[in-house]
Amino acid sequence: MTTRTRAARSAEVTRLLPGPLRALVLAVLLLLVGAPLLYMFLASINSELSVAAGEFLPRSPDFGNYRRIWSTTDLGPGLVNSVLVAGAVAVVCALVSIVSAYVLVRVAFRGRIAILRGLLALQTIPGTLMLLPVFVLFASAATVLGVPVIGTRWALWLTYLTFGLPFSTWVMVTYLRGLPRELDEAARVDGASSWRVLTRIIVPLSWPGLTVSAIFAFLLGWNDVLFASVLTNPDTRTAAVSLQIFGATQEGGAIPVYGQLMAAALVCAVPVVVLYLFFQRYLISGLTTGGVK
């Protein structure tokens, strides 16, 4: 798809709504997204009494909550565990998904359509239905192998990889279908092997798709509370579980520390925001295009 064609399509989409109406829609969407974030930030620099009393604007802003959360919420180890687990899941999902997608798209073999349909079917299974089977499987594996499984980072990593890899593979299958086969054929004429075609041609052209699959796999591990609350111990808790436990301990208290809770939530959101900003160009391209036309 040429730059002129993309610009023409963008202009057609822009003309769907008149200018004032488009500005109003964007303002409403911005308000819906920004209002909760603004309230969280203002509450994080407000006193606990003022937040509990329902005051929106802080009388005397205080950033002390951002200092106190590191001792009250045990957030530091949780962030480290989340980065290690979610980061490893993202990298492995990206690498395995592009190899799997290349085979599914470029190689014709018996059962290929069944595998593609299976990837879609796996997305329909709720995670709550898999919690008990996964727990029993890991408990049985620990008994048979004689090594601890539940409570370790790699148990959580295997769980997230199981749920993230089908989606990442389907994203890469959709993306690689947009890459012309003529690129492969031209490389093979020059004597390139399949591995060389994959590493030298497909991978460099697939950075947007790889970014999308890696980010979604990262978010799967970063935002999960259900599996992390069951498969971890106090030493391997993720940031989401630490935040949930901190919020639960405030229930029934005399003065809940809402300010610290909001500050901890914003700190947990910072790595994801930075990730989006850093890979924004690849992310938008991967979501809006299906390869090189």
Side-chain angles (χ1 to χ4, degrees):
M1 182 183 296
T2 63
T3 304
R4 182 176 300 178
T5 305
R6 292 179 180 176
R9 290 189 177 182
S10 178
E12 292 177 1
V13 173
T14 304
R15 288 194 296 267
L16 290 177
L17 294 176
L21 182 58
R22 185 170 66 251
L24 178 61
V25 171
L26 293 177
V28 171
L29 293 177
L30 181 62
L31 180 63
L32 292 175
V33 175
L37 295 177
L38 178 62
Y39 175 78
M40 291 176 63
F41 174 72
L42 293 177
S44 68
I45 60 175
N46 204 350
S47 64
E48 310 298 347
L49 289 174
S50 299
V51 177
E55 296 182 7
F56 183 73
L57 295 176
R59 298 178 181 178
S60 55
D62 180 19
F63 289 87
N65 288 328
Y66 289 92
R67 182 183 66 256
R68 287 186 286 268
I69 58 176
W70 301 106
S71 59
T72 58
T73 64
D74 198 24
L75 195 60
L79 287 173
V80 173
N81 291 327
S82 292
V83 170
L84 291 177
V85 174
V89 170
V91 173
V92 174
C93 277
L95 296 178
V96 176
S97 64
I98 190 171
V99 177
S100 303
Y102 179 75
V103 174
L104 291 172
V105 173
R106 291 294 196 260
V107 181
F109 59 92
R110 187 183 299 274
R112 182 170 65 95
I113 302 301
I115 294 176
L116 292 174
R117 292 174 178 173
L119 293 177
L120 286 178
L122 289 174
Q123 307 305 313
T124 64
I125 302 177
T128 52
L129 295 181
M130 301 299 297
L131 180 60
L132 183 59
V134 169
F135 182 85
V136 173
L137 178 63
F138 284 162
S140 302
T143 303
V144 173
L145 300 177
V147 295
V149 178
I150 298 175
T152 61
R153 294 192 187 99
W154 66 272
L156 206 57
W157 176 79
L158 285 175
T159 303
Y160 295 154
L161 189 64
T162 302
F163 291 98
L165 191 56
F167 178 79
S168 298
T169 302
W170 184 257
V171 169
M172 292 310 304
V173 165
T174 305
Y175 192 87
L176 293 186
R177 281 175 174 173
L179 296 179
R181 292 180 177 270
E182 288 77 7
L183 297 174
D184 300 33
E185 296 173 357
R188 294 185 185 280
V189 169
D190 294 335
S193 61
S194 298
W195 179 252
R196 192 175 183 84
V197 171
L198 176 64
T199 56
R200 296 299 180 89
I201 296 178
I202 301 299
V203 172
L205 293 176
S206 302
W207 280 114
L210 284 171
T211 302
V212 172
S213 61
I215 287 180
F216 276 93
F218 181 87
L219 291 179
L220 174 67
W222 188 268
N223 295 329
D224 175 70
V225 177
L226 180 64
F227 288 94
S229 61
V230 175
L231 300 177
T232 59
N233 58 30
D235 295 328
T236 58
R237 285 174 183 162
T238 60
V241 176
S242 299
L243 193 60
Q244 181 200 36
I245 293 176
F246 178 66
T249 56
Q250 305 308 312
E251 298 179 1
I255 302 178
V257 287
Y258 292 122
Q260 294 186 40
L261 186 60
M262 296 300 176
L266 288 176
V267 170
C268 290
V270 168
V272 179
V273 174
V274 173
L275 189 68
Y276 268 102
L277 293 177
F278 189 77
F279 292 102
Q280 181 181 12
R281 180 168 61 92
Y282 294 111
L283 184 64
I284 294 176
S285 177
L287 290 173
T288 56
T289 61
V292 180
K293 303 297 183 182

